[in-house]
Amino acid sequence: MPRAWFITGTDTGVGKTLVSAALLTALVRAGRRAVGMKPVASGCELTAQGLRCADAEALRAAGNVAADYDDINPYALAAPTAPHLAAAAAGVQIDIDVIRAHYARLATRAEDVVVEGVGGWLVPINLTQSMADVVRSLDLPVILVVGLRLGCLNHALLTQQAIAASGCRLLAWVANTLDDGAPQGYVEALREQLRAPCLGVIPSVQTPAIAADSLDLSVIDR
């Protein structure tokens, strides 16, 4: 079985895709066969090939394993809203068994799989399940992306509690410096209060190729 990780965030817009693509880039540089997956995406654009998600395409570009787009992003939804609402608008029911089947296909081709979530930890995917159920079904350790801004300490600690309550394991976290900068002392506070090691602190306005330099892969090799 390949190594695999699930990337979640303290909220939407905190840099999950940047971190996921950076992690894929770092793994490829380390000589690994790595592929990304975005199981559910809303706000997708209609193209000649069908609905496409920019985040999923970024993961596809960062990896080095050939894979069908449908395996990387099995649920591509048009409406730019919460995934269960976007799915309802499209007349689609998001099914974890379907996600697991696409993940299994990717896992047969790669040594490492990076799975990026949508929104935060408990964002609903249907009326009874959330992204946390996807992670539990795939049995993946979790990497938490914390967008450094006012309020992120509370969001990070709440997410840590929610991950544990879901029966999942927080393996590591990444501090991502957003455009408005990092409040002083926040990284240190996160190091003191999160019960997992820091995978990296990413400076502001970075590309995945540059952000990869800030990640310490030894943290997730444990």
Side-chain angles (χ1 to χ4, degrees):
M1 291 295 291
R3 301 186 304 174
W5 307 270
F6 183 85
I7 312 299
T8 192
T10 47
D11 200 350
T12 191
V14 295
K16 293 189 302 296
T17 302
L18 172 66
V19 171
S20 298
L23 179 54
L24 285 164
T25 299
L27 292 166
V28 169
R29 288 177 182 172
R32 306 286 295 180
R33 296 196 321 278
V35 68
M37 183 183 189
K38 179 87 172 180
V40 181
S42 53
C44 298
E45 297 289 333
L46 183 61
T47 72
Q49 292 76 41
L51 287 168
R52 292 291 183 266
C53 168
D55 292 351
E57 293 287 19
L59 301 186
R60 194 179 194 183
N64 62 352
V65 172
D68 292 340
Y69 182 85
D70 288 345
D71 286 334
I72 291 173
N73 178 209
Y75 288 102
L77 307 166
T81 186
H84 73 298
L85 298 178
V92 172
Q93 177 80 9
I94 298 174
D95 186 335
I96 291 179
D97 288 340
V98 171
I99 293 173
R100 190 164 54 236
H102 286 282
Y103 171 82
R105 278 196 283 274
L106 293 175
T108 62
R109 302 175 185 175
E111 296 175 284
D112 297 321
V113 185
V114 176
V115 182
E116 180 192 344
V118 57
W121 179 251
L122 289 176
V123 67
I125 59 169
N126 54 47
L127 292 179
T128 60
Q129 295 173 308
S130 71
M131 285 305 298
D133 294 294
V134 175
V135 183
R136 190 162 48 241
S137 176
L138 298 179
D139 192 24
L140 300 179
V142 180
I143 298 173
L144 173 64
V145 179
V146 182
L148 294 176
R149 61 188 177 198
L150 291 174
C152 73
L153 298 181
N154 176 60
H155 290 163
L157 293 172
L158 285 173
T159 304
Q160 175 176 250
Q161 288 184 357
I163 291 170
S166 299
C168 299
R169 178 168 69 104
L170 178 62
L171 176 66
W173 58 276
V174 176
N176 183 36
T177 305
L178 303 176
D179 290 342
D180 53 2
Q184 188 172 4
Y186 272 38
V187 173
E188 292 76 11
L190 289 166
R191 290 185 189 276
E192 291 171 352
Q193 298 190 52
L194 289 178
R195 297 186 297 274
C198 180
L199 176 59
V201 178
I202 298 177
S204 64
V205 194
Q206 299 287 8
T207 65
I210 298 174
D213 294 332
S214 300
L215 302 182
D216 179 5
L217 292 184
S218 69
V219 169
I220 58 174
D221 283 339
R222 299 173 182 176

